[in-house]
Amino acid sequence: MSGLTLQGLMARPGLRTLALASLALNLFLAAMLVGMVRHPPPPPYQPMPDRFVERVAADLSEADAQRLRAAFEPLRPRYAELSREYREAGQRVRELLQSDRYAPEALRDATDSARAKRRQIGDLTEETVLSVLPGLSPAGRLRLVGGRGP
């Protein structure tokens, strides 16, 4: 019985292919692990207005952040309703796209409805921000509209 050597194994085409496939799989798995470490998963989903308010509040002073949170707090039910309607409108678009029969007018109407709901959420957010601006510090107002502030 002859001993198996690396050179002997590599001389056989099937084993060479298997070794190459194993190496490729190991490299792929290593790349996946590196990608997971370098790019952690996204933060948990936050509903509107929380995701907007907390993202913006992080750049404000504590007093300005509290004013912003207080302005949005009573609007939670309205945001919940608009978000639900927006999800339902989006689901309607998906259903039409997956349907066996293509109905361009129905698809356009459903898309317009979803867009209108998204626009209502944006309008509500904009109006609320505009209403809170007078109560913020000058630096807070500048930061809220995208400036750096002093």
Side-chain angles (χ1 to χ4, degrees), residues 72-82:
F72 277 91
E73 187 61 33
L75 300 172
R76 285 180 181 283
R78 181 68 180 134
Y79 273 105
E81 177 186 348
L82 286 171

Side-chain angles (χ1 to χ4, degrees), residues 19-64:
L20 185 59
S22 175
L23 177 63
L25 181 60
N26 286 330
L27 290 174
F28 173 75
L29 292 174
M32 292 293 293
L33 287 173
V34 168
M36 288 173 59
V37 169
R38 286 195 176 165
H39 302 289
Y45 171 77
Q46 287 185 304
M48 278 297 285
D50 294 336
R51 69 173 170 256
F52 170 78
V53 170
E54 293 310 317
R55 181 174 47 92
V56 173
D59 291 335
L60 299 174
S61 69
E62 188 57 36
D64 285 343

Side-chain angles (χ1 to χ4, degrees), residues 95-144:
E95 289 168 359
L96 289 167
L97 288 170
Q98 294 171 349
S99 174
D100 290 337
R101 289 191 45 211
Y102 177 68
E105 287 304 312
L107 182 59
R108 180 168 306 283
D109 291 344
T111 303
D112 288 345
S113 176
R115 186 180 309 116
K117 291 302 171 189
R118 186 180 67 229
R119 193 173 18 239
Q120 285 178 326
I121 292 169
D123 290 347
L124 181 59
T125 303
E126 184 179 299
E127 288 301 318
T128 306
V129 167
L130 290 173
S131 74
V132 79
L133 282 176
L136 299 181
S137 67
R141 286 192 300 267
L142 186 58
R143 285 189 189 114
L144 191 62

Side-chain angles (χ1 to χ4, degrees), residues 82-97:
L82 286 171
S83 295
R84 180 188 54 75
E85 291 170 355
Y86 178 58
R87 281 191 307 274
E88 289 173 358
Q91 181 59 37
R92 178 68 181 138
V93 170
R94 283 186 291 283
E95 289 168 359
L96 289 167
L97 288 170

